Amino acid sequence: MRTLIVGAGIAGLAAARRLLELGLEPDDLRIVDKARGVGGRMASRRIGTPAGVARFDHGAQFFTSRSETFSSVVAAAVDAGAVVEWTRGFGPDPDGHPRWRGSAGMTSLCKWLAADAGLEPLLGHRIMDLRAELADHPADAVIHTAPVPQALATLALGAMLPEPTVAQQLAEIHYKPTIAVLLAPQIDPTGLAAHGGAQYVDHPDLAFVADNRAKGISPVPAVTIHLSNERSNELWNATDDDVLTRALAWAADALGEAGDRKALVGHQIQRWRYAGPVDIHPDATVVWGNDPVVALAGEAFAGPKVEGAFLSGRAAADAVFVR
Ligand SMILES: Cc1cc2nc3c(=O)[nH]c(=O)nc-3n(C[C@H](O)[C@H](O)[C@H](O)COP(=O)(O)OP(=O)(O)OC[C@H]3O[C@@H](n4cnc5c(N)ncnc54)[C@H](O)[C@@H]3O)c2cc1C
């Protein structure tokens, strides 16, 4: 069964590993991703500063593992040095449940998932029209793990959408945006707990602030600010300058003097249009067709976030394999 996997984020890599477990020949597996590296929204970035390279997690900040399946993979990644425990809770009253992070940034887990299984995704390869791609590289099955609106766009061009009621259900999966503000200050922030993370639940302006040096991934001061979904929506078309001004004001307590704009040695603004689904599809994957069989997977299916995306990728692999 020649299989194309679109996306080398956690869902795509989980699907690929599952197909190999089921006995698929590695030569029958083709994984492509438009990005320059694996990981998708488990994203890390660097900014050069006079003091050294500042490293940031700018998408997902941490992940949890509850299911046995994902926990066993996380345990293997911990043994391999790709994942470490960050903390057991962010608030004043931690719940004691481990929050994991990649050892050198969130991409570490995906890099390890690929290397451990001998997977070599084709990077920098964007699928525009899935049917055209399949004309060049035929496949019996496709597992598509892009955010659902992006996946549907590549399917629509080649008239590969599922029957109308399913297509309509998929078209109703909407996403919340998040603006990430990356700061390279000269000094570390002073208003965060020793582990360096602050999670804001139901905060009007902020969703998360992380000191990436305290977190253990940056050798020099590096702060990630995630604006709340509401503020991200409001500021989506604002200038980077405006976003920076407001983010510094909203995060002033967490930053302390590190928030002095004149003393920043670097900054970047990243807009995540598809930060997370508003509603989750009830099934772990949606599958249709026979020539090829197509499955959608990712965090929008059955369970959100990193673990949900992982489990959805595996479910898609199981579903296409039995067809
Ligand atoms: C700002 C932010 C904060 C988050 N915080 C957390 C958190 O703290 N904890 C948590 O558990 N989760 C968090 N998440 C969610 C988590 O990152 C996602 O649930 C998970 O990474 C999704 O994985 P995925 O494989 O489904 O999708 P993705 O990671 O998006 O992977 C899809 C891949 O498909 C590729 N792709 C898309 N279209 C095409 C195309 N046409 N051709 C080729 N390739 C394509 C993309 O480049 C991408 O690599 C956060 C996400 C964001 C954006």
Side-chain angles (χ1 to χ4, degrees):
M1 185 181 76
R2 295 161 303 173
T3 305
L4 169 66
I5 297 181
V6 183
I10 187 115
L13 295 171
R17 288 172 62 103
R18 180 62 180 153
L19 285 171
L20 295 178
E21 276 173 31
L22 290 168
L24 199 84
E25 291 297 329
D27 286 350
D28 285 335
L29 193 54
R30 187 161 179 267
I31 312 170
V32 303
D33 199 299
K34 66 182 182 183
R36 282 178 298 158
V38 302
R41 281 169 276 175
M42 297 175 75
S44 313
R45 183 168 285 190
R46 298 156 184 235
I47 298 179
T49 79
V53 176
R55 299 180 66 132
F56 304 81
D57 280 333
H58 67 112
Q61 296 296 302
F62 66 91
F63 58 91
T64 50
S65 60
R66 291 168 199 279
S67 66
E68 212 172 290
T69 309
F70 188 52
S71 296
S72 67
V73 169
V74 172
V78 169
D79 286 347
V83 165
V84 294
E85 185 178 313
W86 180 6
T87 177
R88 296 213 163 197
F90 293 101
D93 194 13
D95 61 17
H97 199 74
R99 271 66 170 177
W100 304 103
R101 65 169 176 84
S103 51
M106 289 295 277
T107 46
S108 295
L109 173 60
C110 289
K111 284 180 180 165
W112 175 80
L113 286 172
D116 176 62
L119 302 169
E120 292 181 2
L122 175 63
L123 300 171
H125 186 82
R126 179 192 290 262
I127 306 282
M128 302 294 287
D129 174 344
L130 190 57
R131 195 175 290 283
E133 177 74 16
L134 294 172
D136 292 341
H137 300 279
D140 307 301
V142 178
I143 297 177
H144 209 318
T145 68
V148 176
Q150 294 182 323
L152 293 180
T154 67
L155 289 155
L157 276 177
M160 292 179 71
L161 291 172
E163 50 115 341
T165 46
V166 177
Q168 181 58 33
Q169 207 182 11
L170 293 171
E172 284 167 7
I173 297 178
H174 300 294
Y175 286 74
K176 301 169 275 192
T178 293
I179 296 181
V181 179
L182 312 183
L183 306 176
Q186 290 176 28
I187 54 168
D188 292 316
T190 50
L192 292 166
H195 52 63
Q199 190 168 25
Y200 299 85
V201 180
D202 296 330
H203 191 281
D205 311 315
L206 300 172
F208 209 93
V209 178
D211 172 345
N212 292 288
R213 175 141 83 159
K215 185 178 183 179
I217 67 161
S218 180
V220 299
V223 178
T224 303
I225 302 171
H226 281 167
L227 302 186
S228 66
N229 300 130
E230 197 179 343
R231 293 289 178 248
S232 299
N233 244 328
E234 272 173 34
L235 292 179
W236 194 254
N237 295 314
T239 62
D240 284 2
D241 197 57
D242 194 11
V243 172
L244 177 64
T245 305
R246 290 180 191 229
L248 290 174
W250 289 327
D253 288 349
L255 297 172
E257 288 183 16
D260 176 3
R261 184 174 180 156
K262 292 188 290 300
L264 292 179
V265 288
H267 73 272
Q268 284 183 17
I269 312 290
Q270 159 88 37
R271 291 167 173 78
W272 293 101
R273 179 174 297 283
Y274 302 108
V278 176
D279 298 307
I280 307 290
H281 192 284
D283 301 323
T285 181
V286 172
V287 190
W288 67 91
N290 279 310
D291 186 23
V293 50
V294 178
L296 295 197
E299 52 145 13
F301 298 92
K305 301 190 175 285
V306 167
E307 180 171 21
F310 178 89
L311 296 173
S312 173
R314 278 179 69 90
D318 285 332
V320 300
F321 199 76
V322 296
R323 280 166 81 121

